[in-house]
Coordinates of all heavy atoms in Angstrom, one line a residue:
M1 N -4.9 13.6 -7.3 CA -5.0 12.5 -8.2 C -5.2 11.2 -7.4 O -4.6 11.0 -6.4 CB -3.7 12.3 -9.0 CG -3.3 13.4 -9.9 SD -1.7 13.1 -10.7 CE -2.1 11.7 -11.8
L2 N -6.2 10.4 -7.9 CA -6.4 9.1 -7.2 C -5.8 8.0 -8.0 O -5.7 7.9 -9.2 CB -8.0 8.8 -7.2 CG -8.8 9.8 -6.4 CD1 -10.3 9.5 -6.5 CD2 -8.4 9.7 -4.9
F3 N -5.2 7.1 -7.2 CA -4.6 5.9 -7.7 C -5.1 4.6 -7.0 O -5.1 4.6 -5.8 CB -3.0 5.9 -7.5 CG -2.3 7.0 -8.4 CD1 -2.2 8.3 -7.9 CD2 -1.8 6.7 -9.6 CE1 -1.5 9.2 -8.6 CE2 -1.2 7.6 -10.4 CZ -1.0 8.9 -9.9
H4 N -5.4 3.6 -7.8 CA -5.7 2.3 -7.2 C -4.4 1.5 -7.2 O -3.7 1.5 -8.2 CB -6.8 1.6 -8.1 CG -7.1 0.2 -7.6 ND1 -6.4 -0.9 -8.0 CD2 -8.1 -0.2 -6.8 CE1 -6.9 -1.9 -7.4 NE2 -8.0 -1.6 -6.7
V5 N -4.1 0.9 -6.1 CA -2.8 0.2 -5.9 C -3.1 -1.2 -5.4 O -3.8 -1.4 -4.4 CB -1.9 0.9 -5.0 CG1 -0.6 0.1 -4.8 CG2 -1.6 2.3 -5.5
R6 N -2.6 -2.2 -6.0 CA -2.6 -3.6 -5.5 C -1.2 -3.9 -5.0 O -0.2 -3.7 -5.7 CB -3.0 -4.6 -6.5 CG -3.0 -6.0 -6.0 CD -3.4 -7.1 -6.9 NE -3.2 -8.4 -6.3 CZ -4.1 -9.4 -6.3 NH1 -5.2 -9.3 -7.0 NH2 -3.8 -10.5 -5.7
M7 N -1.2 -4.4 -3.7 CA 0.1 -4.8 -3.1 C 0.1 -6.3 -2.8 O -0.8 -6.7 -2.0 CB 0.4 -4.0 -1.9 CG 0.4 -2.5 -2.0 SD 0.7 -1.7 -0.5 CE 0.0 -0.1 -0.8
D8 N 1.0 -7.0 -3.3 CA 1.1 -8.5 -3.0 C 2.4 -8.6 -2.2 O 3.5 -8.3 -2.7 CB 1.2 -9.3 -4.2 CG -0.1 -9.2 -5.1 OD1 -1.2 -9.5 -4.5 OD2 0.0 -8.8 -6.2
V9 N 2.3 -9.1 -1.0 CA 3.4 -9.3 -0.1 C 4.0 -10.7 -0.2 O 3.3 -11.7 -0.1 CB 3.0 -9.0 1.4 CG1 4.2 -9.0 2.3 CG2 2.3 -7.6 1.5
H10 N 5.3 -10.7 -0.3 CA 6.0 -12.0 -0.4 C 7.2 -12.0 0.5 O 8.4 -11.8 0.1 CB 6.5 -12.3 -1.9 CG 5.5 -12.2 -2.9 ND1 4.5 -13.2 -3.1 CD2 5.2 -11.2 -3.8 CE1 3.7 -12.8 -4.1 NE2 4.1 -11.7 -4.5
L11 N 6.9 -12.2 1.8 CA 8.0 -12.3 2.8 C 8.7 -13.7 2.7 O 7.9 -14.7 2.6 CB 7.5 -12.0 4.2 CG 7.2 -10.6 4.6 CD1 6.4 -10.5 5.9 CD2 8.5 -9.8 4.7
P12 N 10.0 -13.7 2.7 CA 10.7 -15.0 2.7 C 10.3 -15.9 3.8 O 10.2 -15.4 5.0 CB 12.2 -14.7 2.7 CG 12.3 -13.2 2.5 CD 10.9 -12.6 2.8
A13 N 10.0 -17.2 3.6 CA 9.6 -18.1 4.6 C 10.6 -18.2 5.7 O 10.3 -18.4 6.9 CB 9.3 -19.5 4.1
D14 N 11.9 -18.0 5.4 CA 13.0 -18.2 6.3 C 13.4 -16.9 7.0 O 14.4 -16.8 7.7 CB 14.2 -18.9 5.7 CG 14.8 -18.1 4.6 OD1 14.2 -17.0 4.2 OD2 15.9 -18.4 4.1
L15 N 12.6 -15.8 6.8 CA 13.0 -14.5 7.4 C 12.9 -14.7 8.9 O 12.0 -15.2 9.5 CB 12.0 -13.4 7.0 CG 12.3 -12.0 7.4 CD1 13.6 -11.5 6.7 CD2 11.1 -11.1 6.9
D16 N 13.9 -14.1 9.6 CA 14.0 -14.1 11.1 C 12.7 -13.6 11.7 O 12.2 -12.5 11.3 CB 15.2 -13.3 11.5 CG 15.2 -13.1 13.0 OD1 15.5 -14.1 13.7 OD2 14.9 -12.0 13.5
P17 N 12.0 -14.3 12.6 CA 10.7 -13.9 13.1 C 10.7 -12.5 13.7 O 9.7 -11.7 13.6 CB 10.3 -15.0 14.1 CG 11.2 -16.1 13.7 CD 12.4 -15.6 13.1
E18 N 11.8 -12.1 14.4 CA 11.9 -10.8 15.0 C 12.0 -9.7 13.9 O 11.4 -8.6 14.1 CB 13.1 -10.7 15.9 CG 12.8 -11.2 17.3 CD 14.0 -11.0 18.3 OE1 14.8 -10.1 18.0 OE2 14.1 -11.8 19.2
M19 N 12.7 -10.0 12.9 CA 12.9 -9.0 11.8 C 11.5 -8.9 11.1 O 11.1 -7.8 10.8 CB 13.9 -9.5 10.8 CG 14.2 -8.5 9.7 SD 15.5 -9.0 8.6 CE 16.9 -8.8 9.7
R20 N 10.8 -10.0 10.9 CA 9.5 -10.0 10.3 C 8.5 -9.1 11.1 O 7.9 -8.2 10.6 CB 9.0 -11.4 10.2 CG 7.6 -11.5 9.5 CD 7.0 -12.9 9.7 NE 5.7 -13.0 9.2 CZ 5.3 -13.5 8.1 NH1 6.2 -14.0 7.2 NH2 4.1 -13.5 7.7
A21 N 8.5 -9.4 12.4 CA 7.6 -8.6 13.3 C 7.9 -7.1 13.3 O 7.0 -6.2 13.3 CB 7.7 -9.1 14.7
D22 N 9.2 -6.8 13.2 CA 9.7 -5.4 13.2 C 9.2 -4.7 11.9 O 8.7 -3.6 11.9 CB 11.2 -5.3 13.3 CG 11.7 -3.9 13.2 OD1 11.4 -3.1 14.1 OD2 12.4 -3.6 12.2
I23 N 9.4 -5.4 10.7 CA 9.0 -4.8 9.5 C 7.5 -4.6 9.4 O 7.0 -3.5 9.0 CB 9.5 -5.7 8.3 CG1 11.0 -5.8 8.2 CG2 8.9 -5.2 7.0 CD1 11.5 -6.8 7.2
V24 N 6.8 -5.6 9.9 CA 5.3 -5.5 9.8 C 4.8 -4.4 10.8 O 3.9 -3.6 10.4 CB 4.7 -6.8 10.2 CG1 3.2 -6.7 10.4 CG2 5.0 -7.9 9.1
A25 N 5.4 -4.2 11.9 CA 5.0 -3.1 12.8 C 5.4 -1.7 12.2 O 4.6 -0.8 12.3 CB 5.8 -3.3 14.2
R26 N 6.5 -1.6 11.6 CA 6.9 -0.4 10.9 C 6.0 -0.1 9.8 O 5.6 1.1 9.5 CB 8.4 -0.4 10.5 CG 9.3 -0.3 11.7 CD 10.8 0.0 11.3 NE 11.4 -1.2 10.7 CZ 11.8 -1.3 9.5 NH1 11.6 -0.3 8.6 NH2 12.4 -2.4 9.0
E27 N 5.6 -1.1 9.0 CA 4.7 -0.9 7.9 C 3.3 -0.4 8.4 O 2.8 0.5 7.8 CB 4.5 -2.3 7.2 CG 3.5 -2.3 6.0 CD 4.2 -1.9 4.7 OE1 5.4 -1.7 4.7 OE2 3.5 -1.7 3.7
K28 N 2.9 -1.0 9.5 CA 1.6 -0.5 10.1 C 1.6 1.0 10.5 O 0.7 1.7 10.2 CB 1.2 -1.4 11.3 CG -0.1 -1.1 11.9 CD -0.5 -2.1 13.0 CE -1.9 -1.9 13.5 NZ -2.3 -2.9 14.5
A29 N 2.7 1.3 11.2 CA 2.8 2.7 11.6 C 2.9 3.7 10.5 O 2.3 4.8 10.4 CB 4.1 2.9 12.5
Y30 N 3.7 3.3 9.4 CA 3.9 4.2 8.2 C 2.5 4.3 7.5 O 2.1 5.4 7.1 CB 4.9 3.5 7.3 CG 5.3 4.2 6.1 CD1 6.3 5.1 6.0 CD2 4.6 3.9 4.9 CE1 6.7 5.7 4.8 CE2 5.0 4.5 3.7 CZ 6.0 5.4 3.7 OH 6.4 6.0 2.5
S31 N 1.8 3.2 7.4 CA 0.5 3.2 6.7 C -0.5 4.1 7.5 O -1.2 4.9 6.9 CB 0.0 1.8 6.6 OG -1.3 1.7 6.3
Q32 N -0.5 3.9 8.8 CA -1.6 4.6 9.6 C -1.3 6.1 9.6 O -2.2 6.9 9.6 CB -1.6 4.0 11.0 CG -2.3 2.6 10.9 CD -2.5 1.9 12.3 OE1 -1.9 2.3 13.3 NE2 -3.4 1.0 12.3
E33 N 0.0 6.5 9.6 CA 0.3 7.9 9.5 C -0.3 8.5 8.2 O -0.9 9.6 8.2 CB 1.8 8.1 9.6 CG 2.3 9.6 9.6 CD 1.7 10.3 10.8 OE1 1.5 9.7 11.9 OE2 1.4 11.5 10.7
L34 N -0.1 7.8 7.1 CA -0.6 8.2 5.8 C -2.1 8.2 5.7 O -2.7 9.1 5.1 CB 0.0 7.4 4.6 CG 1.5 7.7 4.4 CD1 2.2 6.6 3.7 CD2 1.6 9.0 3.6
Q35 N -2.7 7.2 6.4 CA -4.2 7.2 6.5 C -4.7 8.4 7.2 O -5.6 9.1 6.8 CB -4.6 5.9 7.1 CG -4.4 4.7 6.3 CD -4.8 3.4 7.0 OE1 -5.9 3.2 7.5 NE2 -3.8 2.5 7.2
R36 N -4.0 8.7 8.3 CA -4.4 9.9 9.1 C -4.3 11.2 8.3 O -5.1 12.1 8.5 CB -3.6 10.0 10.4 CG -4.1 9.1 11.5 CD -3.3 9.3 12.8 NE -3.3 8.1 13.5 CZ -2.2 7.2 13.5 NH1 -1.1 7.6 12.9 NH2 -2.3 6.1 14.2
S37 N -3.3 11.3 7.5 CA -3.1 12.5 6.7 C -4.1 12.6 5.5 O -4.1 13.7 4.9 CB -1.6 12.5 6.1 OG -1.6 11.6 4.9
G38 N -4.8 11.6 5.2 CA -5.8 11.6 4.1 C -5.2 11.1 2.8 O -5.9 11.0 1.8
K39 N -3.9 10.8 2.8 CA -3.3 10.4 1.5 C -3.6 8.9 1.1 O -3.4 8.5 0.0 CB -1.8 10.6 1.5 CG -1.4 12.1 1.5 CD 0.1 12.4 1.3 CE 0.4 13.9 1.4 NZ -0.2 14.6 0.2
W40 N -4.0 8.2 2.1 CA -4.2 6.7 1.9 C -5.6 6.4 2.5 O -5.8 5.8 3.5 CB -3.2 5.9 2.7 CG -3.1 4.5 2.3 CD1 -4.0 3.7 1.8 CD2 -1.9 3.6 2.5 NE1 -3.5 2.4 1.6 CE2 -2.2 2.3 2.1 CE3 -0.6 3.9 3.0 CZ2 -1.3 1.3 2.1 CZ3 0.3 2.8 3.1 CH2 -0.1 1.5 2.6
P41 N -6.7 6.9 1.7 CA -8.1 6.8 2.3 C -8.7 5.4 2.3 O -9.6 5.2 3.1 CB -8.9 7.7 1.4 CG -8.1 7.8 0.1 CD -6.7 7.7 0.5
H42 N -8.1 4.5 1.5 CA -8.7 3.1 1.6 C -7.6 2.1 1.6 O -6.6 2.2 0.8 CB -9.6 2.8 0.3 CG -10.9 3.6 0.3 ND1 -12.0 3.2 1.0 CD2 -11.2 4.7 -0.3 CE1 -13.0 4.0 0.8 NE2 -12.5 5.0 0.0
I43 N -7.8 1.1 2.4 CA -6.9 -0.1 2.4 C -7.8 -1.3 2.8 O -8.5 -1.3 3.8 CB -5.7 0.0 3.3 CG1 -4.9 -1.3 3.2 CG2 -6.0 0.4 4.7 CD1 -3.5 -1.2 3.8
W44 N -7.9 -2.3 1.9 CA -8.7 -3.5 2.1 C -7.9 -4.7 1.9 O -7.1 -4.8 0.9 CB -9.9 -3.5 1.0 CG -10.8 -2.3 1.2 CD1 -10.7 -1.1 0.5 CD2 -11.9 -2.2 2.0 NE1 -11.8 -0.3 0.9 CE2 -12.5 -1.0 1.9 CE3 -12.5 -3.1 2.9 CZ2 -13.6 -0.5 2.6 CZ3 -13.6 -2.7 3.6 CH2 -14.2 -1.4 3.4
R45 N -8.1 -5.7 2.8 CA -7.5 -7.0 2.6 C -8.2 -7.7 1.5 O -9.4 -7.6 1.4 CB -7.6 -7.8 3.9 CG -7.1 -9.2 3.9 CD -5.6 -9.2 3.6 NE -4.7 -8.9 4.7 CZ -3.6 -8.2 4.6 NH1 -3.2 -7.8 3.4 NH2 -2.8 -7.9 5.7
I46 N -7.4 -8.4 0.6 CA -8.0 -9.2 -0.4 C -8.2 -10.6 0.2 O -7.2 -11.2 0.7 CB -7.1 -9.3 -1.7 CG1 -6.9 -7.9 -2.3 CG2 -7.6 -10.3 -2.7 CD1 -5.9 -7.8 -3.4
V47 N -9.4 -11.1 0.3 CA -9.7 -12.3 1.0 C -8.9 -13.4 0.6 O -8.8 -13.7 -0.7 CB -11.2 -12.6 0.9 CG1 -11.6 -13.9 1.5 CG2 -12.1 -11.5 1.5
G48 N -8.2 -14.1 1.5 CA -7.5 -15.3 1.2 C -6.1 -15.1 0.7 O -5.4 -16.0 0.4
E49 N -5.6 -13.8 0.6 CA -4.3 -13.5 0.1 C -3.6 -12.6 1.1 O -4.2 -11.8 1.8 CB -4.4 -12.9 -1.3 CG -5.1 -13.7 -2.3 CD -5.1 -13.1 -3.7 OE1 -4.1 -12.5 -4.1 OE2 -6.2 -13.1 -4.3
Y50 N -2.2 -12.6 1.1 CA -1.4 -11.6 1.8 C -1.2 -10.4 0.8 O -0.1 -10.2 0.3 CB -0.1 -12.2 2.3 CG 0.6 -11.4 3.3 CD1 0.1 -10.1 3.7 CD2 1.9 -11.8 3.8 CE1 0.8 -9.4 4.7 CE2 2.5 -11.0 4.7 CZ 2.0 -9.8 5.2 OH 2.7 -9.1 6.1
S51 N -2.4 -9.8 0.6 CA -2.4 -8.7 -0.4 C -3.4 -7.7 0.0 O -4.3 -8.0 0.8 CB -2.9 -9.3 -1.8 OG -2.0 -10.3 -2.2
N52 N -3.3 -6.5 -0.5 CA -4.3 -5.5 -0.3 C -4.6 -4.7 -1.6 O -3.8 -4.6 -2.5 CB -4.0 -4.6 0.8 CG -2.9 -3.6 0.5 OD1 -3.1 -2.6 -0.3 ND2 -1.6 -3.8 1.0
F53 N -5.9 -4.2 -1.6 CA -6.3 -3.1 -2.5 C -6.3 -1.8 -1.8 O -6.9 -1.8 -0.7 CB -7.6 -3.4 -3.1 CG -7.7 -4.4 -4.2 CD1 -8.7 -5.4 -4.2 CD2 -6.8 -4.4 -5.3 CE1 -8.8 -6.3 -5.3 CE2 -6.9 -5.3 -6.3 CZ -7.9 -6.3 -6.3
S54 N -5.6 -0.8 -2.3 CA -5.6 0.5 -1.6 C -6.0 1.6 -2.6 O -5.8 1.4 -3.8 CB -4.2 0.8 -1.1 OG -3.9 0.0 0.0
V55 N -6.4 2.7 -2.1 CA -6.6 3.9 -2.9 C -5.8 5.0 -2.3 O -5.8 5.2 -1.0 CB -8.1 4.3 -3.0 CG1 -8.2 5.7 -3.7 CG2 -8.9 3.3 -3.7
F56 N -5.0 5.7 -3.1 CA -4.2 6.8 -2.6 C -4.7 8.1 -3.3 O -5.1 8.1 -4.5 CB -2.7 6.6 -3.0 CG -2.0 5.6 -2.2 CD1 -2.1 4.2 -2.5 CD2 -1.3 5.9 -1.1 CE1 -1.5 3.3 -1.7 CE2 -0.6 5.0 -0.3 CZ -0.7 3.6 -0.6
D57 N -4.7 9.2 -2.5 CA -5.1 10.5 -3.0 C -3.9 11.4 -2.8 O -3.6 11.9 -1.7 CB -6.3 11.0 -2.1 CG -6.9 12.3 -2.7 OD1 -6.3 12.8 -3.6 OD2 -7.9 12.7 -2.1
V58 N -3.1 11.6 -3.9 CA -1.9 12.3 -3.8 C -1.8 13.3 -5.0 O -2.6 13.4 -5.9 CB -0.7 11.3 -3.9 CG1 -0.6 10.4 -2.7 CG2 -0.8 10.4 -5.2
E59 N -0.7 14.2 -4.9 CA -0.6 15.2 -5.9 C -0.1 14.7 -7.2 O -0.4 15.3 -8.3 CB 0.4 16.3 -5.4 CG 0.0 17.1 -4.2 CD -1.3 17.8 -4.5 OE1 -1.4 18.4 -5.6 OE2 -2.2 17.8 -3.6
S60 N 0.6 13.7 -7.3 CA 1.3 13.2 -8.5 C 1.8 11.8 -8.4 O 1.9 11.2 -7.3 CB 2.5 14.1 -8.7 OG 3.5 13.9 -7.7
G61 N 2.1 11.3 -9.6 CA 2.7 9.9 -9.6 C 4.1 9.9 -8.9 O 4.4 8.9 -8.3
D62 N 4.8 11.1 -9.0 CA 6.1 11.1 -8.2 C 5.9 11.0 -6.7 O 6.6 10.3 -6.0 CB 6.8 12.5 -8.5 CG 7.4 12.5 -9.9 OD1 7.5 11.5 -10.5 OD2 7.6 13.6 -10.4
E63 N 4.8 11.7 -6.2 CA 4.5 11.6 -4.8 C 4.2 10.2 -4.4 O 4.7 9.6 -3.4 CB 3.4 12.5 -4.3 CG 3.2 12.5 -2.8 CD 2.1 13.4 -2.3 OE1 1.3 14.0 -3.1 OE2 1.9 13.5 -1.1
L64 N 3.3 9.5 -5.2 CA 2.9 8.1 -4.9 C 4.2 7.2 -5.0 O 4.3 6.4 -4.1 CB 1.9 7.6 -5.9 CG 1.4 6.2 -5.7 CD1 0.8 6.1 -4.3 CD2 0.5 5.7 -6.8
H65 N 5.0 7.5 -5.9 CA 6.3 6.6 -6.0 C 7.1 6.8 -4.7 O 7.6 5.8 -4.2 CB 7.1 7.0 -7.2 CG 8.3 6.1 -7.4 ND1 8.2 4.8 -7.9 CD2 9.6 6.3 -7.0 CE1 9.4 4.3 -7.8 NE2 10.2 5.1 -7.3
D66 N 7.2 8.0 -4.3 CA 8.0 8.2 -3.0 C 7.4 7.5 -1.9 O 8.0 6.9 -1.0 CB 8.1 9.7 -2.7 CG 9.0 10.5 -3.7 OD1 9.8 9.8 -4.4 OD2 9.0 11.7 -3.7
I67 N 6.0 7.6 -1.8 CA 5.3 6.9 -0.7 C 5.5 5.4 -0.8 O 5.8 4.7 0.2 CB 3.8 7.3 -0.7 CG1 3.6 8.7 -0.2 CG2 3.0 6.3 0.2 CD1 2.2 9.2 -0.4
L68 N 5.3 4.8 -2.0 CA 5.4 3.4 -2.1 C 6.8 2.9 -1.9 O 7.0 1.8 -1.2 CB 4.9 3.0 -3.5 CG 3.4 3.2 -3.8 CD1 3.0 2.8 -5.2 CD2 2.5 2.5 -2.7
S69 N 7.8 3.6 -2.4 CA 9.1 3.1 -2.2 C 9.6 3.3 -0.8 O 10.6 2.7 -0.4 CB 10.1 3.8 -3.2 OG 10.0 5.2 -3.1
G70 N 8.9 4.1 0.0 CA 9.2 4.2 1.5 C 8.6 3.1 2.3 O 8.8 3.1 3.6
L71 N 7.7 2.3 1.8 CA 7.0 1.3 2.6 C 8.1 0.3 3.1 O 8.9 -0.2 2.3 CB 6.1 0.5 1.7 CG 4.8 1.1 1.3 CD1 4.1 0.4 0.1 CD2 3.8 1.3 2.5
P72 N 8.1 0.0 4.4 CA 9.1 -0.9 4.9 C 9.0 -2.3 4.2 O 10.0 -3.0 4.1 CB 8.7 -1.0 6.4 CG 8.1 0.3 6.7 CD 7.4 0.7 5.5
L73 N 7.8 -2.7 3.8 CA 7.6 -3.9 3.0 C 8.0 -3.8 1.6 O 7.9 -4.8 0.8 CB 6.2 -4.5 3.2 CG 5.9 -5.2 4.6 CD1 4.4 -5.5 4.7 CD2 6.7 -6.5 4.7
F74 N 8.3 -2.6 1.1 CA 8.5 -2.4 -0.4 C 9.4 -3.5 -1.0 O 9.1 -4.0 -2.1 CB 9.1 -1.0 -0.6 CG 9.2 -0.7 -2.1 CD1 8.2 -0.4 -2.9 CD2 10.5 -0.7 -2.6 CE1 8.3 -0.1 -4.2 CE2 10.7 -0.4 -4.0 CZ 9.6 -0.1 -4.8
P75 N 10.6 -3.8 -0.3 CA 11.4 -4.8 -1.0 C 10.8 -6.2 -1.1 O 11.3 -7.0 -1.9 CB 12.7 -4.9 0.0 CG 12.6 -3.7 0.8 CD 11.1 -3.4 0.9
Y76 N 9.7 -6.4 -0.4 CA 9.0 -7.7 -0.5 C 7.7 -7.7 -1.1 O 6.9 -8.6 -0.9 CB 8.9 -8.2 1.0 CG 10.2 -8.2 1.8 CD1 10.4 -7.3 2.7 CD2 11.1 -9.2 1.6 CE1 11.6 -7.3 3.4 CE2 12.3 -9.2 2.3 CZ 12.5 -8.2 3.2 OH 13.7 -8.2 3.9
M77 N 7.4 -6.7 -1.9 CA 6.1 -6.5 -2.5 C 6.2 -6.5 -4.0 O 7.1 -6.0 -4.6 CB 5.5 -5.2 -2.1 CG 4.9 -5.2 -0.7 SD 4.3 -3.5 -0.5 CE 3.3 -3.7 1.0
D78 N 5.1 -7.1 -4.7 CA 4.8 -6.7 -6.1 C 3.7 -5.7 -6.0 O 2.7 -5.9 -5.3 CB 4.3 -8.0 -6.8 CG 5.4 -9.0 -7.1 OD1 6.6 -8.5 -7.2 OD2 5.2 -10.2 -7.1
I79 N 3.9 -4.6 -6.7 CA 2.9 -3.5 -6.7 C 2.4 -3.2 -8.1 O 3.2 -3.1 -9.0 CB 3.6 -2.3 -6.0 CG1 4.0 -2.6 -4.6 CG2 2.6 -1.1 -6.1 CD1 4.7 -1.4 -3.9
K80 N 1.1 -3.1 -8.2 CA 0.5 -2.7 -9.5 C -0.3 -1.4 -9.2 O -1.2 -1.4 -8.4 CB -0.4 -3.8 -10.0 CG -1.0 -3.4 -11.4 CD -1.7 -4.6 -12.0 CE -2.4 -4.4 -13.3 NZ -2.4 -3.1 -13.9
V81 N 0.0 -0.3 -10.0 CA -0.6 1.0 -9.8 C -1.5 1.2 -11.0 O -1.1 1.1 -12.2 CB 0.5 2.1 -9.7 CG1 -0.2 3.4 -9.6 CG2 1.3 1.9 -8.5
T82 N -2.7 1.7 -10.7 CA -3.7 2.1 -11.8 C -4.2 3.5 -11.5 O -4.9 3.7 -10.5 CB -4.9 1.1 -11.8 OG1 -4.4 -0.2 -11.9 CG2 -5.8 1.4 -13.0
P83 N -3.8 4.5 -12.4 CA -4.4 5.8 -12.2 C -5.9 5.8 -12.5 O -6.3 5.2 -13.4 CB -3.6 6.7 -13.3 CG -2.5 5.8 -13.8 CD -2.9 4.4 -13.6
L84 N -6.6 6.6 -11.7 CA -8.1 6.7 -11.8 C -8.5 8.0 -12.3 O -7.9 9.1 -11.9 CB -8.7 6.4 -10.4 CG -8.4 5.1 -9.8 CD1 -9.0 5.0 -8.4 CD2 -8.9 3.9 -10.6
A85 N -9.5 8.0 -13.2 CA -10.1 9.3 -13.7 C -11.6 9.2 -13.4 O -12.2 8.1 -13.2 CB -9.8 9.5 -15.1
K86 N -12.3 10.4 -13.5 CA -13.7 10.4 -13.2 C -14.5 9.6 -14.3 O -14.1 9.7 -15.5 CB -14.2 11.8 -13.4 CG -14.3 12.6 -12.1 CD -15.0 13.9 -12.2 CE -14.7 14.8 -11.1 NZ -14.7 16.2 -11.5
H87 N -15.5 8.8 -13.9 CA -16.3 8.1 -14.8 C -17.4 9.0 -15.3 O -18.0 9.7 -14.5 CB -16.8 6.8 -14.2 CG -17.4 5.8 -15.2 ND1 -18.6 6.1 -15.8 CD2 -16.9 4.7 -15.7 CE1 -18.8 5.1 -16.7 NE2 -17.8 4.3 -16.6
P88 N -17.7 9.0 -16.6 CA -18.7 10.0 -17.1 C -20.1 9.6 -16.6 O -21.0 10.5 -16.7 CB -18.6 9.8 -18.7 CG -17.9 8.5 -18.9 CD -17.0 8.3 -17.7
S89 N -20.4 8.4 -16.2 CA -21.7 8.1 -15.7 C -21.9 8.3 -14.2 O -22.9 8.2 -13.6 CB -22.0 6.6 -15.9 OG -21.9 6.3 -17.3
K90 N -20.8 8.7 -13.5 CA -20.8 9.0 -12.1 C -21.8 10.1 -11.8 O -21.7 11.2 -12.4 CB -19.4 9.3 -11.6 CG -19.4 9.8 -10.1 CD -19.3 8.6 -9.2 CE -19.0 9.1 -7.7 NZ -20.2 9.4 -6.9
I91 N -22.8 9.9 -10.8 CA -23.7 11.0 -10.5 C -23.2 11.7 -9.3 O -22.3 11.2 -8.5 CB -25.1 10.4 -10.2 CG1 -25.1 9.4 -9.1 CG2 -25.7 9.9 -11.5 CD1 -26.5 9.0 -8.7
Ligands
LIG1 O1 -0.5 -6.4 4.9 C1 -0.5 -5.8 3.9 O2 -1.4 -5.8 3.0 C2 0.7 -4.9 3.6 C3 0.4 -3.6 4.2 C4 0.4 -2.4 3.6 C5 0.1 -1.4 4.6 C6 0.1 -2.2 5.8 O3 -0.1 -1.8 7.0 O4 0.2 -3.5 5.6

């Protein structure tokens, strides 16, 4: 199943810089592992925002929920998930 996901990151301005760097580094490693596995085939920066558009290719909504809730940045994100289906005009 394919899901389109928008993630908006809201890190507190007063977050300790070392903690911030640690969370961002762990987020990158977590994300890149899922990209290598094929479960996270697209991630795009939204120009001018600390946000991304991503596409996930997973077995179920439950699997996606587990992946998203495991993101190190999850406590600092607003996330909007849109399930995708085949478009009838797609060639
Ligand atoms: O920077 C972001 O958009 C948040 C994020 C998700 C995966 C990642 O590596 O960074």
